[in-house]
Amino acid sequence: MGAFLGPFPPTERGPPMDLIERYIFKIAFSAFLACLLALTAVIWITSALRELDLLTSKGQTLVMFFTITALSLPTLIAIIAPVALFIAVIYALNRLNGDSELIVMSAAGMPPQRLLRPFVWLAAMVCISIAFLTNYMMPASFQELRDLLTKVRADFVANVVKEGQFTNLDSGITFHYRERSGPALLGIFIQDRREEGRTVVYLAERGQTVDLNARSYLILEQGSVHRQVPNSRDSSIVAFERYAIDLSALSQESSEIVYKPRERTTRQLINPTTSDYYTLHQPGRLRAELHDRLSSWLYPLAMMFIAFAALGDARTTRQGRGVAVAGAVIGVVALRIAAFAAPGLAVRSEAGLIAVYGVPLGAIALCLLMIFQGPRVRALGARVTRWTGDALVPMLPRLGRA
């Protein structure tokens, strides 16, 4: 504590100040790292348990299981990092105040901007990481996840269907084979009921999967195709010697993958193709996704300022800080609710972009006003309250007689 006792010059930065900055930064960074790792691990394990059907019903390997679940980490980190930063700032300020270090710094003349500086450095690191994750890592992970899931669904013969069992796929296909003889399947039955009122049944003595031009086909031999005639009980039967079925056409995913806005790179959002479905029918979703990414790095900064504005003032141990912590939590919850609502406004109209950027920037501006002009604002509020009370005192007798 001896290093904190000297006065802090308003403009010069001496060695004691550098030491204090590193000390505060170390406390906040350690708390941030611990919160980030703990929250990410808990949420990742919870989400990984939901994907256990990859090992059970879809017959995937552990490598595929961990690959798919690991692709969700960039999204988890991007969501958890601002919250972890908020918790770390609250923890650091409470620890400094609880050890009376914050009181000593304030009594020695340490200005708010110097106490704020290590937290700004930490927030800047988080902001850069969030910008990289949301603009590069998350779209790439979403695309890779979409491709892997499409591959798993398309290759359902090897991954889903079990010998001697009737397997119902999500897309409306029922598949069955009697037994396997080496690479060949014997006694194949396929029922296609994807179209309402129309049923197609494939029967074959044997079949085998073949990969051709990066697509999987099932070659059926010695069988027939039964097609139900619409609005009739009759059916047409076609016998065949060999018949090829595109397995990707039987899966729930279409053969041509159309990436959703969140699965596209930032460059693709800036310059979308003119013939794209979303460009023609839902351009607002592309616009909202692009600007949501570009504004995402502002939220860690806003959360840090909210925590500092609530707890940055030194207080004695008799002055409770629970109300200030509760106020900071309410402020962050309100900020996140507004952050989720702002892209919806941008989808409807370009004017909604004001909310996309205005929500975090408005929170930052309000917190900066409270941090640097807080004493003046509170003094002005107390003065207005006193003037109002003085003006009401002469009116009290008349109000009582009325």
Side-chain angles (χ1 to χ4, degrees):
M1 295 297 298
F4 296 160
L5 296 179
F8 292 92
T11 56
E12 298 180 2
R13 287 187 59 194
M17 185 58 196
D18 294 335
L19 180 62
I20 294 174
E21 284 185 4
R22 290 195 297 269
Y23 174 69
I24 297 175
F25 180 85
K26 181 180 178 181
I27 294 176
F29 180 76
S30 301
F32 166 74
L33 199 60
C35 290
L36 181 64
L37 294 177
L39 293 176
T40 302
V42 171
I43 298 178
W44 179 80
I45 292 173
T46 303
S47 62
L49 292 176
R50 300 174 185 170
E51 301 294 339
L52 282 178
D53 63 322
L54 290 171
L55 295 174
T56 56
S57 64
K58 291 184 173 59
Q60 294 299 305
T61 63
L62 281 173
V63 175
M64 179 65 73
F65 170 75
F66 283 112
T67 300
I68 291 179
T69 53
L71 288 173
S72 64
L73 285 177
T75 304
L76 290 179
I77 294 175
I79 296 174
I80 294 172
V83 179
L85 175 64
F86 173 74
I87 297 175
V89 175
I90 287 182
Y91 168 79
L93 291 173
N94 271 331
R95 175 175 170 178
L96 292 173
N97 190 80
D99 294 340
S100 300
E101 295 170 333
L102 202 60
I103 299 175
V104 174
M105 294 178 194
S106 178
M110 184 176 184
Q113 57 267 28
R114 292 196 172 182
L115 178 62
L116 181 62
R117 190 176 297 135
F119 298 108
V120 172
W121 277 108
L122 179 59
M125 294 171 54
V126 178
C127 290
I128 294 173
S129 302
I130 294 297
F132 176 75
L133 288 173
T134 55
N135 287 280
Y136 297 99
M137 293 296 295
M138 285 175 56
S141 65
F142 282 138
Q143 285 192 11
E144 183 66 21
L145 181 61
R146 179 75 172 273
D147 294 340
L148 286 176
L149 292 178
T150 301
K151 181 180 179 182
V152 168
R153 293 188 182 117
D155 194 12
F156 63 86
V157 173
N159 299 322
V160 179
V161 180
K162 303 301 180 183
E163 180 178 312
Q165 298 180 4
F166 286 88
T167 304
N168 295 318
L169 305 178
D170 296 336
S171 55
I173 305 293
T174 301
F175 196 99
H176 168 81
Y177 69 92
R178 186 177 65 253
E179 59 181 335
R180 184 185 293 271
S181 177
L185 307 178
L186 304 180
I188 296 175
F189 169 86
I190 305 174
Q191 184 184 56
D192 184 357
R193 302 185 63 181
R194 290 176 295 177
E195 296 184 22
E196 186 176 356
R198 182 175 181 271
T199 303
V200 180
V201 177
Y202 302 87
L203 300 174
E205 290 295 329
R206 58 184 290 121
Q208 185 172 343
T209 56
V210 176
D211 293 329
L212 181 62
N213 297 328
R215 303 181 71 171
S216 297
Y217 295 89
L218 178 61
I219 308 300
L220 302 178
E221 300 178 359
Q222 302 295 326
S224 59
V225 180
H226 300 251
R227 289 186 173 89
Q228 179 183 356
V229 178
N231 301 322
S232 175
R233 296 182 179 180
D234 299 331
S235 61
S236 62
I237 302 176
V238 178
F240 58 82
E241 293 291 332
R242 291 172 63 87
Y243 191 92
I245 298 179
D246 186 357
L247 293 179
S248 61
L250 299 181
S251 65
Q252 191 176 19
E253 302 287 340
S254 61
S255 57
E256 181 181 356
I257 300 177
V258 178
Y259 291 111
K260 298 178 181 179
R262 70 171 189 171
E263 297 169 347
R264 305 188 182 197
T265 64
T266 304
R267 180 178 299 179
Q268 292 172 341
L269 293 176
I270 295 174
N271 297 311
T273 57
T274 56
S275 60
D276 183 79
Y277 168 80
Y278 288 97
T279 305
L280 296 175
H281 300 91
Q282 297 181 348
R285 292 188 59 184
L286 298 178
R287 177 178 60 243
E289 177 64 26
L290 172 62
H291 292 280
D292 187 42
R293 291 184 191 179
L294 297 179
S295 63
S296 61
W297 66 272
L298 294 170
Y299 286 95
L301 198 62
M303 291 188 182
M304 183 276 296
F305 279 126
I306 290 175
F308 192 91
L311 300 170
D313 293 336
R315 301 184 185 183
T316 63
T317 54
R318 293 183 180 182
Q319 294 174 311
R321 295 168 70 87
V323 176
V325 174
V329 172
I330 293 174
V332 167
V333 171
L335 178 67
R336 294 308 303 172
I337 293 175
F340 286 123
L345 299 176
V347 171
R348 299 183 184 93
S349 112
E350 293 186 359
L353 296 178
I354 298 176
V356 173
Y357 295 97
V359 168
L361 291 176
I364 292 173
L366 180 61
C367 291
L368 287 175
L369 179 65
M370 294 175 61
I371 292 171
F372 295 109
Q373 302 298 328
R376 296 182 182 180
V377 173
R378 286 191 291 269
L380 179 61
R383 190 176 305 173
V384 171
T385 303
R386 185 171 61 253
W387 287 346
T388 304
D390 294 341
L392 290 176
V393 168
M395 300 175 60
L396 292 178
R398 283 179 286 179
L399 292 175
R401 288 195 299 269

